[in-house]
Amino acid sequence: MAVMQERVAQGRTDVPLDLEAGFEALLAADERIEPRDWMPEAYRATLIRQIAQHAHSEIIGMQPEGNWLTRAPSLRRKAILLAKVQDEAGHGLYLYSAAETLGVTREELLDALHNGRQRYSSIFNYPTLTWADVGAIGWLVDGAAIVNQIPLTRCSYGPYARAMVRICKEESFHQRQGYESLYTLAHGTPEQHAMAQDAVDRWWWPSLMMFGPPDSASAHTARSTHWKIKRHGNDELRQRFVDLTVPQAEVLGLTLPDPRLAWNAETGHYDCGPIDWSEFEAVLAGNGPCNRQRIARRVSAHEDGAWVRAAAAAYAEKHGHRGEDGREIE
Amino acid sequence: MSAADPTPAASGAARTSAAPAGTVWEVFVRPRRGLSHQHVGSVHAADAQLALRRARDLYTRRGEGVSIWVVPGGAISATSPDEKDPYFAPAADKTYRHPTFYQLPEGVKNL
């Protein structure tokens, strides 16, 4: 009955009820929805929006760390950072590939990123001022991403869930390399320690904002939860991240910039001070420290790469597609 | 369906058109000898050689495979999920194809 009411409310009485019922039955059985299955248009649109935003975040996320590639303090750190930034590109591609199964093209998605119709995570609008920021991003930003992403490996849409399995496997290297780098700085000279502390001070609050607004203010939570795209509330995941991270900070010998952060024996969790959501709103509205710079860089990289795409197309035109005549490739 | 206008059937996009930057290639990786190739995702490339290279860079950065296949999405034919039940129905009503269909006498072993 609820399904019927929703259909009427959305003006979708054109869809045969058995298709809708079949979709709901798959969700109820905790089965995955696969690309060629019938799905409500709103489910498709929600997934496209979410997967695209996730993909855009991965490739925009290459910029803050890419900023330090040529200035990494040792060959070891440089090789690690290169591998990490390459992973971010890879994660973007897994996700674009998953989004394409929903019937959008790569070009449409990139256009939407470039002209601001689709967003990326607001965390990447903060600058990387010192080398220690690379460590803080690995530890805190990738740490928060892992907490956010692990439940997505059980998301109802098959290609998205499978991409997330692959991504989560790779993220743990990202977090560890950041932690190791910060630990080294925190136990180095007083200047290095101060640099590590400064980076943590700047990245802590934006990392907490990565989980999104409080559930009470989150626009899509209820529907995404019903569709099993979302399995936990924003506040629950944020709390999980805080509980995991506070003891790690103690081992680092660094403090977190929240005077109200304290263990609450009654709840079994850490209590935090209030988050300044006006900052989050400002960054989301395009007024973070690096919003314009990030998009300008992305657009110029895309435009500068036009000749490569043209050359590849011309080459293919000239030589034809190999491997299509049914012969074995292996 | 020509490869220039692919429907990546393994990924299943029903509405994807050809990308100017190249065809969508579905990627299959053999994790190690003795196992069959498994679908892992897709890449965009202008030709098979480039598709293989991109698939290597994207899907096997940590030794996830010993062999890769790439297939133009349009070259894959797939059953339709809408007709799943009638299409696979012949398998469902022949329970005597399963060993559990048969009653064994008490005490018989290794059968």
Side-chain angles (χ1 to χ4, degrees), chain B:
Chain B
M1 181 156 292
S2 78
D5 180 21
T7 299
S11 286
R15 293 185 275 167
T16 305
S17 60
T23 308
V24 174
W25 299 75
E26 298 298 340
V27 179
F28 300 79
V29 172
R30 183 198 294 286
R32 59 175 192 273
R33 287 182 176 279
L35 297 179
S36 44
H37 287 74
Q38 242 195 358
H39 182 244
V40 292
S42 63
V43 292
H44 286 222
D47 63 29
Q49 207 179 0
L50 257 182
L52 281 173
R53 246 183 252 169
R54 287 186 181 164
R56 176 200 63 187
D57 291 347
L58 188 56
Y59 292 104
T60 62
R61 284 198 301 285
R62 288 172 175 80
E64 291 93 335
V66 295
S67 163
I68 301 173
W69 288 349
V70 290
V71 183
I76 296 175
S77 303
T79 55
S80 159
D82 300 339
E83 55 189 49
K84 186 185 81 167
D85 291 340
Y87 201 81
F88 294 103
D93 62 0
K94 294 176 181 64
T95 51
Y96 46 84
R97 283 177 172 163
H98 298 280
T100 48
F101 178 80
Y102 300 92
Q103 301 249 336
L104 292 183
E106 197 86 11
V108 67
K109 284 179 182 159
N110 302 321
L111 192 70

Side-chain angles (χ1 to χ4, degrees), chain A residues 41-84:
Chain A
E41 279 308 308
Y43 176 84
R44 185 187 298 275
T46 298
L47 276 169
I48 289 174
R49 182 178 54 80
Q50 181 171 335
I51 300 173
Q53 174 166 338
H54 200 156
H56 299 331
S57 301
E58 298 284 357
I59 62 166
I60 294 287
M62 297 165 74
Q63 291 187 33
E65 292 175 287
N67 182 34
W68 282 93
L69 276 174
T70 57
R71 295 174 290 166
S74 68
L75 187 56
R76 178 177 183 271
R77 295 286 178 204
K78 184 174 186 167
I80 290 169
L81 189 56
L82 264 174
K84 178 177 191 291

Side-chain angles (χ1 to χ4, degrees), chain A residues 9-29:
Chain A
Q10 294 176 1
R12 291 186 301 113
T13 47
D14 53 317
V15 178
L17 194 56
D18 57 337
L19 287 179
E20 187 114 38
F23 171 80
E24 290 290 336
L26 284 175
L27 283 186

Side-chain angles (χ1 to χ4, degrees), chain A residues 88 184 257 297:
Chain A
E88 309 297 0
T184 306
R297 178 79 188 277

Side-chain angles (χ1 to χ4, degrees), chain A residues 78-109:
Chain A
K78 184 174 186 167
I80 290 169
L81 189 56
L82 264 174
K84 178 177 191 291
V85 172
Q86 190 192 11
D87 272 356
E88 309 297 0
H91 295 178
L93 290 172
Y94 301 153
L95 289 162
Y96 284 124
S97 167
E100 284 173 295
T101 66
L102 290 159
V104 283
T105 65
R106 185 80 55 92
E107 286 65 33
E108 286 167 340
L109 296 171

